[in-house]
Amino acid sequence: KAVFIPLGAPGDEVLCRVVQEKSSYARAEIEELLIPGEGRREPPCSYYGKCGGCQLMHLELPKQQECKRSVIQEIWRNRQPVIPQLPAELPEFGYRSRVTFQVLPDNAGLGFMHRNTNTIVNISDCLLFHPLIRQIMPWLREELLPQLSRAGLAARKITVVAGDRGPAAVALELCRRLVGRASVLWPAGARDRGLRFSDVASAAGPGVSATAT
């Protein structure tokens, strides 16, 4: 029976605990790493292992690429006559140009879901993000979220898209339906920092508008 172990590495010898068992497979969690496999490393991110935003940072880059190619081959096997190929060289960091953050209750922060839970891990940076997204993260946390709170708006998700030539686009998905009319003000000088307001999702109701200043 196959046993799937998150955050494991090829060649690892581990002491693990089975957390889910099915007829054809089981899932387990690592209790103790006895002998590390080739290519395992200390993750360069302090959130890794709790944040569910990525799964391979405990591996050196060549091992990450090897795992990704293996996954692609497994997914496409028997589905297409030609299996897509990954580029020969993939960047290790800075390649995620589209990110959707989960927002903590009361706009208290943003991040990704804790692995295997519904809890949000509050993050202030991520090595995988496009440099422009990393650049505006302090603005999202320190200006946009407090501004939404002052306007009486509760955000569910924030999506940021960074282009190689253009500014970052920020989209909000709001979870609180408002009575009456409210406006989300786009601070003066935002465009100078490579920002543009993309959309305020209709989840907040037709009474919510976005105003650029």
Side-chain angles (χ1 to χ4, degrees):
K1 178 188 292 189
V3 179
F4 298 100
I5 307 175
L7 308 184
D12 276 354
E13 292 188 22
V14 301
L15 179 64
C16 63
R17 172 175 53 89
V18 175
V19 295
Q20 183 184 40
E21 191 155 8
K22 300 289 186 178
S23 59
S24 58
Y25 70 91
R27 297 186 184 277
E29 296 285 346
I30 296 176
E31 294 283 306
E32 183 181 353
L33 177 63
L34 303 176
I35 300 177
E38 182 181 357
R40 176 182 275 278
R41 68 175 180 184
E42 188 67 25
C45 173
S46 60
Y47 302 108
Y48 190 74
K50 296 177 291 184
C51 173
C54 64
Q55 295 80 38
L56 297 176
M57 201 175 282
H58 62 291
L59 302 178
E60 296 287 354
L61 183 58
K63 279 294 182 182
Q64 292 185 33
Q65 296 173 341
E66 182 181 316
C67 287
K68 290 177 181 179
R69 291 190 177 95
S70 176
V71 168
I72 288 178
Q73 291 174 354
E74 185 64 29
I75 291 174
W76 285 82
R77 195 184 310 277
N78 301 325
R79 295 188 183 183
Q80 296 289 338
V82 178
I83 297 176
Q85 298 296 314
L86 289 176
E89 293 186 7
L90 292 173
E92 183 172 10
F93 303 123
Y95 61 84
R96 284 192 180 174
S97 59
R98 181 185 179 92
V99 179
T100 297
F101 297 103
Q102 305 291 328
V103 181
L104 274 72
D106 300 320
N107 299 328
L110 48 79
F112 297 106
M113 289 296 184
H114 191 291
R115 194 169 57 87
N116 298 330
T117 74
N118 292 323
T119 303
I120 300 172
V121 178
N122 192 11
I123 69 170
S124 59
D125 193 14
C126 177
L127 297 172
L128 303 186
F129 291 170
H130 187 286
L132 187 53
I133 298 179
R134 295 184 70 183
Q135 178 184 331
I136 70 169
M137 275 200 71
W139 179 87
L140 294 173
R141 296 171 57 86
E142 299 165 15
E143 296 187 41
L144 180 60
L145 290 179
Q147 182 188 173
L148 291 173
S149 295
R150 289 192 295 270
L153 301 175
R156 178 185 289 115
K157 296 179 182 179
I158 298 177
T159 298
V160 185
V161 181
D164 290 334
R165 298 181 180 179
V170 180
L172 307 179
E173 180 179 326
L174 305 175
C175 61
R176 181 176 301 164
R177 186 171 295 279
L178 302 177
V179 177
R181 188 169 186 82
S183 295
V184 180
L185 297 179
W186 199 232
R191 288 188 179 88
D192 296 337
R193 285 174 283 176
L195 299 165
R196 63 185 174 87
F197 201 96
S198 172
D199 179 50
V200 175
S202 60
V208 177
S209 62
T211 303
T213 61

